Each structure stands twice: as C-alpha cells, then as structure tokens.
RNA sequence: GGUCGGUUGGCCGAGCGGUUAGGCAGGGCUCUGCAAAAGCUCGUACAGCGGUUCAAAUCCGCUACCGACCUCCA
C-alpha cells in the first residue's frame, strides 16, 4: 500500500510507522555527530549524507526542522573506563604535543570542509560536549537524586539494575536485547571492579592524574561519560521527547541504549519518538572502520590515490553512488560500482540540463504519455514517503531521463503533452535532484572564456565537417577527448561536456 | 557462544505474496562521414532443500555461506 503519508522505519518498533511530529509543523531531529580526533572516513560520511537527505526531504515536505548534530570533543574513550582507557582527543593531543582544543579545531574544520564538499546542509545547531559541561553535571545530579546512579571513588555510574526495576522493558528494547541476554553477555567481561553490576555505565568519570581535559564537579575533578552529552544536548535544544533521533547502526548499543536510560533516569521519559539508524558502508564485505584499518578517506577517493581504485571519483558521483542504495542497507564499495555510478550520475545530470532547453509547442496531447510522465513525477514523492527510498526515487527519475532524451532526439520540441505537464516535469526534476537528493552539477563549466572558446572550436569543427575535411574535425574531437571533453553531435548541433 | 540481519542476473543494487525496478556492462537495430551521445530492442536472476498457498524472490522450517552488534566505532 502506498500513501501520501510519510512513513519512517522506527528501530524501536522495527516497523515503518506513520510520522507524526510532536508539534507539527515543527520537527526536532538529532543526529550523533563525529568524534573529532582524526579525519572523517567515508563510512562516517555516508551516515551524514543519509541524514542530510532526511533533513532535506522533511523541509521539502513543509516541516520546519531544527536539526541538531553534535561534535564530540570530550568523553569518548578508547576502551572501557575501568581498563586503563584514554580519552580519544586527549590521546591525540598527547601524541601530537598539541592542546586538546587544537585537535578538536583541526578535525572539526576538516569535517566541515568534507560535509561541504559532499553538499550536505549544515545543521541548525552544532553543539559541543565541552560547551555543555554545566548541563551535563546537572543531569548527573538529577539522576543521582532520582536514585538511579551511585558514586564510586569519584566516578558516577548509572545503576542499570535499579533502572530496570523502575522502568521495566525499557533498557535493551532499542537494540533488541532482553535483560537475561544483557546479563549473560556482560558477565564475560572482566575487571569491572567499581561497578555494582557489569552493565552499569559511567556518566561521570574521575580524571586520572595526567588527564588533560577535566572539570570540577561535586564528585570529583573529571569529565562526562560519552553517552551523556547526547542526552543533554538533544533535550536542551529540542525538548523532551523530540521527534527523530538518528545515527549509525553501530551506535544502537551501547550508545543509544544508554542515552535512553539517562533520559528516563533524569526526567522519566524517552528522548525521542522515532529512532533511525543508517547502515554501514562496507569495504570488501567488511564494515569500514578506522580501528580495523579498513577505511578509505574521501580524499583518496577523489584523487584515486589508492590501490583499490583505478581512478578518482567526484564527490557528487560518490553521493549519487550512496543514494542508489537504501540507507538501511549495507553498501559495499568497489571500483566497479563507483564507475557504474559515475556514468549513471552523468546521464542523470545531462538529462537535467537538456530538460530546461526543451521548448513546448501546442499539439495533440498523447494521453498515455502525459499520464506516464506525471505518474513518474508523483512516484518520487511516494518513494521518499516510504522511509526515504532514494533508490526508487532515482529509478523514477531515470524513467523521466528516458523521456527527456527522447524529446531531445525529436528536436527538443515538446508537443504531445501539455505545457503544465512539461513544467511539472521540470519542477520535479529540479526539486528532487537539487533540493531533496542534494545533487549538483560538478563545478567549473560556468567559465565565460571556456564557454566562448568551446563555441569557437565547435564552430570551426562544424565548418570542416561541411567541407568533408574529416581529418581536421576528427583531430579536434580526439584532442578534446584527451582533455576529457566530450563532443556530442545531435540533431540540434553539437554540444559538449566534461567526461 | 548469544542476539539480529543478509545471500537477487556479468557487476552494483530495489522490490518483500500475483504487476518492467533502476544504473553499469554485453548483443542487435536506428541516427551519424566515422565514432561518441541518444533512442528502440534482446538476453542472462532471485543460495540450497522442504512446506504453506490458486499463486512465493517475497510467508514458514531446515541447511550452507556472509556480515553487524554483544568492546571504541557513523
């Protein structure tokens, strides 16, 4: 069944649910951002591109969205709290002999640059963990006051057993773990000395002597637990509960599960109504992950400087490549798949350009043609409403690509559909490609000199063709080809594009 | 070991009870000075076995592979 209602797959219920915002037309969306201790890899980018499309489509659908995406700049540890772990940013600062905030600034800048390159929209608010220490200390106090956390040697732990007693059925629901399950699983972990129970987790951590980043608190000089910042910053800016909480699949447990426990513990309600999780980007069938040395940096992809790639790929081709797969499916990256995507993307964008050069003229209307075109336009909405199905949306756009190219072949004059239908086609293309999917023409063809020169060259070649001087015309074509400029001889004359 | 998910044509990937997914690659044709581009067209699928059903890629069971999470990870 298809309908005009937006449906979102909610991890909590494992079903697609009709999206009903708490306070329509306002929508609050929170997405877990990066920990800025090194460069983002392509897997990170996929998640943010996925949620960029969600953000764009919600706005396109008329919602007023406040999109909050945090920057984790403290509290994210390299391992378990009890086993000599180290703050990720603090560690980089120590290794590079820099201030932690220098590390944070450097990689935050890099992250922003990359997001811009991929044409993702900046969030409405991008709060940092270190900017919200006061609020985090407050939440720890509330949780202690509610009897759901305990202090141990200056650190504070959320008491999962007490939590389960007070809010049965909450802890473990998101990640699909029942309580027995959680117990047996964590029983195997060693050396959880300070905790009353193995599944308890730190919400405030007493800083070791040499720890670079620390703040005063009623319990110790220390720093907040990793999960706490999201609880605090999401509810501070979006209220409680807000609408959509997103993040990568791998954050489901323990991060999101713990976040839910913190929110319940502090104020008795869930942080958000809809939980969305983007699936992983794979590399040779395995999750792309920095710690496993199995990651590709976007820069390598753009330059082609990798043994796995035969060439470089543009950011927009990569974005298109990602959108050809649903956000909840894994996507395996490979050179062959990227090449296919690159060509498909080019075909789409060529048609997009062609579309706005079409002219309408009155003629006899072909009903079925008109129906087919308007149906494909409407289908874009139907597909996006079905849990943001970008691959299906692209499929509909490609059926329109075919129509557009047929009109071009026929002399670029459209007379078998109404003017309104042509305008609808143009509007749909523009809105979905640019506004919703966030795809844009690769830069650098808007140079006036280049355009003028190309016009001249094409003109000269045309003259030699008329004179049947094939060696000159082919020389022009071949030389341009070497420069990655492709000439296309059509009924309406010759056009060109970059390869 | 526990939990969850996946296995679709040469490749990437949708679909998830009856209807063409789509892109890329390949064959044929049209257009073209030739090519490219574009159009038309063709072919090869649903891991295996069993079951439910008038009907199964789609539901159920078993088997075999693969992956994610359970430990930092988008």
């Amino acid at each position: 069944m298809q309908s005009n209602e937006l449906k979102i797959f909610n991890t909590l219920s494992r079903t697609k649910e009709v999206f009903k915002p708490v306070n329509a037309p306002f929508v609050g969306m929170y997405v877990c951002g990066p920990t800025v201790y090194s460069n983002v890899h392509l897997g990170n980018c996929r998640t943010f591109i996925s949620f960029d499309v969600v953000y764009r489509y919600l706005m396109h659908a008329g919602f007023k969205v406040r999109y909050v995406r945090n920057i984790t700049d403290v509290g994210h540890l390299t391992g378990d709290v009890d086993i000599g772990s180290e703050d990720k940013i603090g560690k980089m600062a120590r290794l590079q002999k820099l201030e932690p905030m220098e590390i944070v600034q450097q990689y935050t800048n890099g992250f922003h640059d990359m997001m811009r390159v991929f044409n993702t929209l900046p969030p409405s608010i991008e709060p940092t963990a270190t900017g919200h220490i006061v609020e985090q200390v407050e939440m720890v106090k509330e949780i202690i006051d509610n009897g759901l956390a305990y202090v141990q040697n200056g650190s504070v732990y959320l008491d999962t057993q007490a939590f389960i007693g007070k809010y049965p059925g909450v802890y473990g629901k998101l990640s699909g773990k029942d309580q027995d399950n959680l117990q047996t699983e964590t029983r195997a972990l060693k050396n959880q000395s300070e905790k009353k129970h193995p599944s308890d987790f730190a919400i405030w951590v007493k800083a070791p002597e040499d720890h670079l980043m620390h703040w005063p608190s009623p319990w110790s000089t220390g720093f907040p637990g990793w999960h706490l910042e999201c609880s605090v910053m999401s509810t501070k800016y979006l209220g409680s509960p807000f609408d959509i909480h997103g993040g990568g699949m791998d954050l489901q447990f323990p991060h999101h599960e713990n976040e839910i426990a913190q929110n319940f513990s502090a104020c008795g309600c869930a942080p958000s109504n809809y939980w969305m999780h983007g699936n992983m980007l794979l590399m040779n069938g395995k999750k792309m992950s920095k710690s496993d040395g199995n990651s590709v940096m976007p820069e390598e992809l753009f330059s082609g400087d990798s043994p796995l790639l035969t060439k470089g790929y543009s950011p927009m081709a990569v974005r298109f490549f990602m959108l050809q797969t649903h956000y909840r499916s894994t996507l395996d990256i490979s050179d062959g798949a990227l090449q296919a995507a690159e060509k498909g993307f080019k075909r789409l964008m060529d048609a997009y350009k062609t579309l706005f050069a079409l002219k309408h003229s009155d003629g006899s209307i072909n009903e079925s043609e008109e129906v087919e075109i308007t149906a494909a336009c409407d289908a874009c909405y139907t597909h996006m409403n079905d849990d943001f199905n970008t691959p299906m949306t692209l499929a509909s756009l490609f059926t329109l690509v075919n129509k557009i190219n047929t009109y071009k072949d026929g002399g670029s004059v459209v007379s078998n559909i109404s003017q309104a239908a042509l305008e609808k086609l143009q509007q749909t293309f523009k809105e979905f490609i640019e506004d919703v999917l966030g795809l844009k023409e690769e830069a650098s063809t808007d140079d006036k000199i280049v355009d003028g020169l190309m016009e001249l060259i094409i003109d000269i070649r045309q003259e030699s063709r008329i004179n049947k001087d094939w060696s000159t015309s082919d020389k022009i074509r071949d030389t341009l080809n070497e420069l990655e400029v492709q000439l296309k001889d059509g009924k309406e004359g010759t056009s060109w594009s970059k390869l």
Side-chain angles (χ1 to χ4, degrees):
Chain A
M1 257 324 269
Q2 297 184 322
S3 77
N4 291 324
E5 289 178 309
L6 174 60
K7 290 204 177 112
I8 296 181
F9 184 90
N10 191 345
T11 309
L12 266 178
S13 64
R14 268 145 247 268
T15 55
K16 285 179 196 167
E17 299 175 12
V18 174
F19 180 56
K20 293 203 178 81
V22 176
N23 228 36
F26 299 100
V27 169
M29 174 163 97
Y30 185 91
V31 172
C32 292
T35 301
V36 283
Y37 70 103
S38 68
N39 289 316
V40 276
H41 70 253
L42 204 64
N44 296 305
C45 295
R46 184 188 178 198
T47 298
F48 301 126
I49 288 170
S50 295
F51 285 103
D52 182 56
V53 172
V54 171
Y55 179 41
R56 285 167 176 275
Y57 187 65
L58 288 171
M59 288 196 293
H60 185 72
F63 292 110
K64 309 273 181 238
V65 188
R66 181 181 288 169
Y67 174 25
V68 180
R69 187 183 64 206
N70 69 304
I71 294 280
T72 297
D73 56 358
V74 70
H76 205 156
L77 303 179
T78 54
D80 191 86
V81 176
D82 291 339
I83 322 173
S85 58
E86 191 170 3
D87 186 282
K88 289 191 170 188
I89 287 154
K91 183 179 178 183
M92 285 304 286
R94 181 171 58 76
L95 292 174
Q96 296 189 25
K97 295 194 171 24
L98 293 171
E99 277 293 320
M101 281 299 130
E102 271 183 293
I103 298 290
V104 166
Q105 192 65 58
Q106 179 185 337
Y107 292 115
T108 300
N109 291 346
F111 172 63
H112 286 157
D113 289 346
M114 201 48 73
M115 289 296 98
R116 215 170 294 125
V117 164
F118 278 121
N119 200 29
T120 68
L121 299 171
S124 324
I125 303 177
E126 193 170 48
T128 62
T130 55
H132 296 76
I133 299 294
V134 173
E135 292 89 337
Q136 294 186 73
V137 168
E138 272 312 304
M139 187 175 271
V140 174
K141 276 187 201 161
E142 287 167 29
I143 296 173
I144 294 175
D145 289 348
N146 291 336
L148 295 170
Y150 56 90
V151 184
Q152 202 79 265
N153 302 324
S155 291
V156 185
Y157 294 94
L158 193 135
D159 188 337
T160 51
Q161 297 311 291
F163 180 81
I164 289 165
K166 185 161 181 187
Y167 299 102
V170 172
Y171 198 63
K173 187 184 175 193
L174 182 75
S175 54
K177 299 174 188 304
D178 58 39
Q179 280 154 227
D180 295 341
N181 211 327
L182 281 164
Q183 299 212 351
T184 39
E185 277 171 8
T186 42
R187 200 174 295 150
L189 297 173
K190 65 267 179 188
N191 198 23
Q192 310 263 355
S193 54
E194 289 191 348
K195 301 179 190 177
K196 284 198 213 163
H197 189 274
S199 61
D200 294 351
F201 58 93
I203 52 180
W204 185 264
V205 184
K206 182 184 178 181
E209 295 268 313
D210 56 348
H211 203 87
L212 290 172
M213 287 189 286
H214 47 74
W215 293 263
S217 82
W219 317 285
S220 67
T221 295
F223 54 92
W226 171 40
H227 315 298
L228 195 60
E229 55 165 304
C230 290
S231 286
V232 163
M233 299 190 292
S234 62
T235 50
K236 169 164 180 170
Y237 296 111
L238 299 173
S240 180
F242 57 93
D243 298 301
I244 299 171
H245 192 129
M249 211 71 123
D250 49 358
L251 294 182
Q252 243 175 66
F253 189 91
H255 184 58
H256 291 329
E257 202 71 79
N258 289 171
E259 206 180 316
I260 291 171
Q262 289 165 348
N263 278 74
F264 267 99
S265 298
C267 58
C269 83
S272 91
N273 294 137
Y274 299 84
W275 285 85
M276 295 179 68
H277 291 97
N279 214 136
M280 299 295 104
L281 184 65
L282 309 184
M283 179 91 169
N284 302 320
K286 292 257 171 71
K287 175 185 171 184
M288 189 175 281
S289 159
K290 230 178 311 196
S291 46
D292 293 345
N294 185 36
S295 60
V296 175
M297 293 298 154
E299 296 86 351
E300 296 172 327
L301 203 57
F302 302 154
S303 68
D305 184 18
S306 161
L308 299 152
L309 304 173
T310 56
K311 62 188 286 290
Y313 298 93
S314 74
M316 282 302 106
V318 175
R319 184 171 170 121
F320 173 86
F321 167 68
M322 290 179 176
L323 297 181
Q324 276 188 304
T325 305
H326 189 89
Y327 76 91
R328 279 192 290 114
S329 298
T330 54
L331 168 59
D332 205 335
I333 192 167
S334 70
D335 193 64
L338 282 165
Q339 275 186 35
E342 184 181 55
K343 289 193 181 170
F345 175 62
K346 185 173 182 298
R347 201 162 107 88
L348 179 69
M349 294 313 273
D350 282 350
Y352 182 36
K353 263 187 289 184
T354 302
L355 174 59
F356 286 87
L358 298 181
K359 300 268 185 303
H360 187 266
S361 108
D362 291 326
S364 60
I365 305 289
N366 179 334
E367 284 293 334
S368 70
E369 179 83 354
E370 176 134 350
V371 167
E372 219 178 315
I373 287 174
T374 50
C377 290
D378 295 338
C380 291
Y381 286 95
T382 312
H383 296 139
M384 285 305 287
N385 280 338
D386 182 20
D387 195 30
F388 309 96
N389 195 326
T390 54
M392 284 300 281
T393 302
L394 283 170
S396 289
L397 289 176
F398 271 106
T399 76
L400 295 171
V401 165
N402 184 267
K403 297 291 178 200
I404 293 165
N405 285 332
T406 304
Y407 285 130
K408 189 190 177 192
D409 265 16
S412 295
V413 177
V414 183
S415 59
N416 65 347
I417 58 169
S418 64
Q419 173 131 19
L422 177 61
E423 280 165 10
K424 176 170 183 159
L425 172 58
Q426 291 175 327
Q427 190 189 344
T428 303
F429 240 70
K430 185 171 176 12
E431 288 179 350
F432 276 87
I433 290 183
E434 286 188 17
D435 303 344
V436 175
L437 299 177
L439 298 168
K440 61 179 184 188
E441 194 59 47
E442 305 289 355
S444 86
T445 48
D446 55 353
D447 190 315
K448 278 213 174 96
I449 295 176
V450 171
D451 286 348
L453 288 173
M454 283 309 301
E455 206 174 307
L456 175 66
I457 292 167
I458 288 170
D459 214 49
I460 292 170
R461 176 164 170 274
Q462 196 50 37
E463 278 172 28
S464 59
R465 289 179 74 201
I466 289 164
N467 297 330
K468 298 201 193 303
D469 177 5
W470 308 129
S471 71
T472 302
S473 71
D474 288 354
K475 184 180 174 187
I476 291 172
R477 184 217 285 159
D478 296 344
T479 308
L480 286 174
N481 220 273
E482 280 167 32
L483 294 168
E484 301 204 318
V485 171
Q486 181 186 46
L487 293 182
K488 291 180 270 196
D489 297 326
K491 287 208 170 71
E492 302 296 292
T494 302
S495 62
W496 67 281
S497 69
K498 293 180 77 171
L499 277 176

